[in-house]
Amino acid sequence: MARQVRRAFKYRFYPTEEQAAELSRTFGCVRLVYNKALEERTLAWYGERRRVSYVQSSAALAQWKKTPGLAFLSEVPCVPLQQALRHLQTAFANFFAKRAAYPRFKSRKRSRASAEYTRSAFTWREGRLTLAKMTAPLDIRWSRPLPQGAEPTTVTVSRDSAGRWFVSLLCQDTITAAPATGAAVGIDAGIASLVTLSTGEKITNPQHERRDCARLAKAQRDLSRKAPGSANREKARRKVARVHARIADRRRDFLHKLSTRLVRENQTVVIEDLAVANLLKNHRLARAISDVAWRELRRMLEYKCAWYGRDLVVVDRWFPSSKLCGTCGTVRARLPLDVREWTCGCGAVHDRDVNAARNILAAGLAVTACGDGVRPQRDTSRTGHSSAKQETQRATTGISRL
């Protein structure tokens, strides 16, 4: 079965000096409009308890362009500025719905420099992309082809901290569901092993950051010795950013390959609902937890399962997967982290991680068998995952039968 999804294709491009200057001005104006609109909304909300709509912010933007101090806003394309206001509107909608924290101001140094162009602000002709206010198309490196006959509806241009330029093209794509299979897998996330599967396989942690630790330390030492505000300091900062970018790229590539393999081989994927933000409070393990990127792996599994017609079941974070004996169902009172293998009273010897993965799989299958709307809905508008929080007891009692 095929389905239509909106999919972003990201490519690197190399702008000319004129294009780089134009895009840099646009990035600055987008950030300024976002921050100024956020400031006015904040004053209205905390001072008068009054909400400012997108229409009102858009009208205010028109007035800002007429003031002498902000007349330069008219020199850049208007669509990215309007899109910044729409993004702010979405941020406030999420805040009022209690789905997110209060919107924050964009920093020139720390925030991602980007601008979004809708269909009226760019030209797509014969596979060449030309943005508004530009005379020449972007020099894009087409690392992979776009879907046959697809045309971008939204274009997002960005520049990362390492100075690399990227363009993301949002297109309509047709994705065919993967062939059905009866296989199911439980996944236990870890640090020594990135993940342990219920089949007994352990995926080794690549430790991308540790492999580049010496290079990163040297680049950071060089940066600390440069005078603030100097050109040499900016060069040293770029060098540090390139090392971080290399680590992030390798980590992302590994997680994509791992998540794609798991989705292709299994009809049902069961994972734990880990509270990564709370785990990062352990300062002894925070760096290692950040390096394994459990949340990014879950995000990839969510949308890939939704795309390819797989079931993703999320087991409650309080489910005692490691302390539960998969043979007799006994739950140990304590199991310190340094205990990697333990023996149950029934005589069963368990590898801590393999036992946890098998218990996670059994709990997920029990939850799925119980029904009650727990099976995730696979569609293109929402991610295909479900929480097993309400089914923990039934899943626990059903483990010995599975």
Side-chain angles (χ1 to χ4, degrees):
M1 183 181 65
R3 66 187 69 202
Q4 295 289 323
V5 299
R6 299 175 67 194
R7 188 174 183 180
F9 294 82
K10 190 174 182 179
Y11 304 93
R12 190 171 179 180
F13 75 99
Y14 295 85
T16 63
E17 292 184 5
E18 294 77 8
Q19 290 174 338
E22 176 65 29
L23 289 172
S24 296
R25 284 195 299 269
T26 303
F27 294 160
C29 291
V30 166
R31 184 179 62 252
L32 185 148
V33 168
Y34 185 95
N35 288 342
K36 191 168 180 61
L38 175 57
E39 181 182 13
E40 292 199 352
R41 284 187 172 223
T42 301
L43 293 175
W45 173 248
Y46 285 102
E48 309 172 19
R49 286 292 170 178
R50 175 175 57 87
R51 298 187 184 184
V52 178
S53 66
Y54 163 77
V55 175
Q56 293 172 315
S57 296
S58 182
L61 174 60
Q63 295 299 320
W64 298 340
K65 292 181 179 180
K66 297 178 182 179
T67 60
L70 298 175
F72 59 87
L73 293 177
S74 301
E75 299 175 3
V76 301
C78 62
V79 170
L81 305 184
Q82 295 290 345
Q83 290 299 103
L85 297 180
R86 289 190 174 93
H87 293 163
L88 181 61
Q89 177 67 26
T90 301
F92 269 99
N94 292 333
F95 166 68
F96 288 122
K98 298 182 179 181
R99 294 190 296 266
Y102 193 83
R104 295 182 296 179
F105 291 96
K106 292 185 179 295
S107 168
R108 182 174 62 86
K109 295 183 179 180
R110 298 183 180 180
S111 298
R112 173 171 170 262
S114 65
E116 186 175 280
Y117 297 76
T118 57
R119 196 66 182 84
S120 61
F122 66 86
T123 303
W124 176 261
R125 184 175 295 114
E126 298 179 354
R128 298 175 70 85
L129 176 68
T130 305
L131 302 178
K133 303 278 188 177
M134 294 185 185
T135 57
L138 299 181
D139 182 15
I140 301 175
R141 297 295 188 264
W142 299 101
S143 55
R144 56 175 173 167
L146 289 175
Q148 186 68 28
E151 292 192 4
T153 58
T154 304
V155 172
T156 302
V157 181
S158 61
R159 183 186 61 214
D160 66 6
S161 57
R164 302 179 301 176
W165 296 83
F166 295 95
V167 58
S168 179
L169 310 178
L170 185 64
C171 304
Q172 198 75 10
D173 190 15
T174 301
I175 294 183
T176 303
T181 175
V185 66
I187 302 174
D188 177 63
I191 295 178
S193 298
L194 177 62
V195 294
T196 301
L197 308 183
S198 55
T199 59
E201 179 183 1
K202 294 186 177 183
I203 308 298
T204 304
N205 181 5
Q207 297 183 339
H208 297 294
E209 185 183 25
R210 181 166 295 184
R211 290 168 63 182
D212 281 344
C213 185
R215 181 182 302 180
L216 178 60
K218 182 179 184 304
Q220 290 175 330
R221 283 197 301 270
D222 292 342
L223 174 62
S224 67
R225 295 169 181 151
K226 300 299 185 290
S230 65
N232 284 336
R233 185 176 180 84
E234 177 60 20
K235 292 179 182 178
R237 187 200 64 78
R238 289 283 181 90
K239 186 176 292 186
V240 173
R242 283 196 294 269
V243 177
H244 280 296
R246 169 185 165 89
I247 295 172
D249 290 345
R250 293 167 61 189
R251 179 189 296 125
R252 190 182 306 109
D253 178 71
F254 181 84
L255 293 180
H256 269 300
K257 292 176 180 177
L258 174 61
S259 59
T260 299
R261 174 202 156 188
L262 293 174
V263 170
R264 284 179 177 174
E265 294 179 353
N266 301 279
Q267 184 66 36
T268 303
V269 179
V270 188
I271 60 176
E272 279 186 298
D273 182 23
L274 297 175
V276 179
N278 293 336
L279 295 174
L280 290 175
K281 296 178 182 178
N282 183 341
H283 298 296
R284 297 180 63 184
L285 298 176
R287 188 168 185 173
I289 292 174
S290 298
D291 192 26
V292 293
W294 293 330
R295 187 64 188 87
E296 180 67 9
L297 177 61
R298 172 173 172 173
R299 185 189 70 85
M300 292 180 180
L301 289 173
E302 285 176 350
Y303 78 78
K304 290 180 182 181
C305 284
W307 279 1
Y308 298 107
R310 304 308 198 193
D311 292 329
L312 180 64
V313 181
V314 181
V315 176
D316 179 29
R317 69 186 59 169
W318 302 113
F319 177 65
S321 57
S322 298
K323 298 187 292 185
L324 177 67
C325 175
T327 303
C328 66
T330 302
V331 179
R332 290 190 52 157
R334 291 184 66 257
L335 189 64
L337 285 176
D338 58 344
V339 178
R340 310 314 300 175
E341 187 176 291
W342 58 281
T343 303
C344 180
C346 66
V349 180
H350 297 295
D351 179 284
R352 179 193 184 104
D353 298 331
V354 175
N355 177 65
R358 290 172 178 169
N359 287 335
I360 290 170
L361 173 62
L365 294 179
V367 167
T368 303
C370 290
D372 301 332
V374 178
R375 182 181 293 275
Q377 300 295 318
R378 299 188 297 270
D379 57 35
T380 58
S381 59
R382 298 174 65 101
T383 54
H385 69 280
S386 66
S387 175
K389 290 185 178 181
Q390 305 301 323
E391 301 291 336
T392 304
Q393 296 299 325
R394 278 190 285 181
T396 305
T397 57
I399 284 176
S400 59
R401 300 196 303 271
L402 295 174

